[in-house]
Amino acid sequence: MRLVGFLLFFYVCTGIKAQLEVPTQELIHAFLKTKTYFVLEDNPFSEANIQLKTAAQKFWKLTPYDFISVEEFESKRKSNQYSFVSVDDVYYEYDKSSTKYKFLCVYMGGNYKNESDMPQLCTIPLAYSDQEENEYAYKIGTLLIFVQNHIKQIKENPTLKKSTILDYYNNNKGNLQNKTLYLKNNEVEKKINTENAFKNIYPYPFKFVSQDEIEKAIDNKSPDIVFLHKVGPGKKNGYRSYQIILGAQDAQIYFFDYHMVNDDNPDALLEKEVKKMIKK
């Protein structure tokens, strides 16, 4: 598996709040002058490879780009003329279980001793490490749009900090009122994962759909569709479950939060999170 073995603390949990990376203005300006390499798995049949390559060709706009292997990454990573995008195994610095997640990561090259020292511009959770690739790879295109939007957002708002970025996104989230929320039935808490139960707490348009329908909305960049991007460990207690609502067209954030999985809070979109999501 690509880039396994280095301690990627791209997404550190401090206190009770997960934090997105907030690069400095100097790092952003340096990044925009680079050529970006998308690092592909050695496995030619990798679904993540296919989706990462397709998404880059379709959606990547910030910098010139190309594709490289893991071996080529090792020979290029020490040059500050290059930046990199990859799907990496990430775990939390203070997580004793060393639970691994897959994150879509954007970072700068340079004369750094270890890969973990390379500056990050954006990281976003993609999947729990044990998930099958076909369960998450189809969302890479939307997340690739998100990381570009994130970098541009920081460039335009230089006062943003790690400690305030999630509050900023949630305070400036898109309006769900005129969007149709796509949900997979098995990603919603059981007591609200039927149409009748969900509409009792959610006042806007929604639809329980298949993965294929979400993938189609993403591919078509459907302007009226938002979807739940859930990243979690299944039935394993004590691990984080992320709940992110993203626009299929532009990857705008409509909700971003997480909870720890336990007997009372399963790995799913919870009723209390739905209520928080629609709170003005």
Side-chain angles (χ1 to χ4, degrees), residues 35-248:
K35 180 174 184 177
T36 300
Y37 283 104
F38 288 77
V39 186
L40 302 178
E41 294 274 4
D42 292 331
N43 177 7
F45 302 106
S46 165
E47 181 68 18
N49 266 10
I50 294 169
Q51 291 288 353
L52 189 60
K53 192 168 186 178
T54 300
Q57 293 168 335
K58 191 172 183 179
F59 300 127
W60 188 258
K61 308 295 182 184
L62 282 185
T63 58
Y65 69 91
D66 206 342
F67 305 96
I68 59 172
S69 66
V70 175
E71 183 177 358
E72 290 173 300
F73 165 78
E74 288 298 331
S75 67
K76 291 181 181 295
R77 71 174 184 82
K78 286 186 174 289
S79 172
N80 61 10
Q81 298 179 36
Y82 305 135
S83 54
F84 303 91
V85 178
S86 61
V87 176
D88 293 336
D89 285 327
V90 176
Y91 63 91
Y92 286 78
E93 186 174 7
Y94 302 110
D95 189 340
K96 294 180 181 179
S97 68
S98 296
T99 305
K100 290 181 181 178
Y101 295 80
K102 291 186 180 296
F103 277 61
L104 185 67
C105 304
V106 183
Y107 45 102
M108 278 286 293
N111 189 24
Y112 303 101
K113 182 178 180 180
N114 299 309
E115 292 91 337
S116 57
D117 297 326
M118 295 167 66
Q120 305 93 39
L121 287 104
C122 185
T123 64
I124 187 167
L126 175 58
Y128 182 62
S129 61
D130 289 346
Q131 280 186 267
E132 296 293 331
E133 283 190 336
N134 62 5
E135 295 178 355
Y136 63 83
Y138 68 97
K139 295 183 280 190
I140 287 176
T142 301
L143 298 189
L144 201 58
I145 295 172
F146 170 80
V147 298
Q148 294 177 92
N149 290 346
H150 178 74
I151 293 168
K152 289 188 286 187
Q153 193 72 254
I154 303 304
K155 184 175 183 290
E156 294 167 4
N157 296 274
T159 60
L160 288 174
K161 301 176 182 179
K162 275 189 179 184
S163 60
T164 61
I165 187 62
L166 279 187
D167 287 337
Y168 173 82
Y169 275 127
N170 279 321
N171 289 336
N172 293 275
K173 62 188 178 183
N175 188 346
L176 288 164
Q177 186 171 355
N178 297 315
K179 304 290 183 179
T180 298
L181 172 60
Y182 274 13
L183 303 157
K184 291 167 65 177
N185 178 274
N186 64 352
E187 293 185 340
V188 178
E189 189 175 13
K190 284 186 177 181
K191 64 182 178 180
I192 57 167
N193 73 350
T194 64
E195 184 174 345
N196 286 336
F198 199 82
K199 71 181 181 182
N200 284 333
I201 62 168
Y202 188 78
Y204 309 133
F206 71 92
K207 184 179 180 182
F208 285 105
V209 299
S210 66
Q211 179 172 306
D212 288 343
E213 289 175 277
I214 296 176
E215 185 171 1
K216 183 178 179 180
I218 291 171
D219 289 342
N220 293 337
K221 298 184 73 174
S222 301
D224 300 324
I225 303 300
V226 299
F227 67 92
L228 171 63
H229 172 46
K230 184 193 74 69
V231 179
K235 296 182 179 179
K236 297 180 180 179
N237 286 354
Y239 303 147
R240 296 167 183 82
S241 177
Y242 295 94
Q243 320 298 323
I244 308 171
I245 305 297
L246 292 167

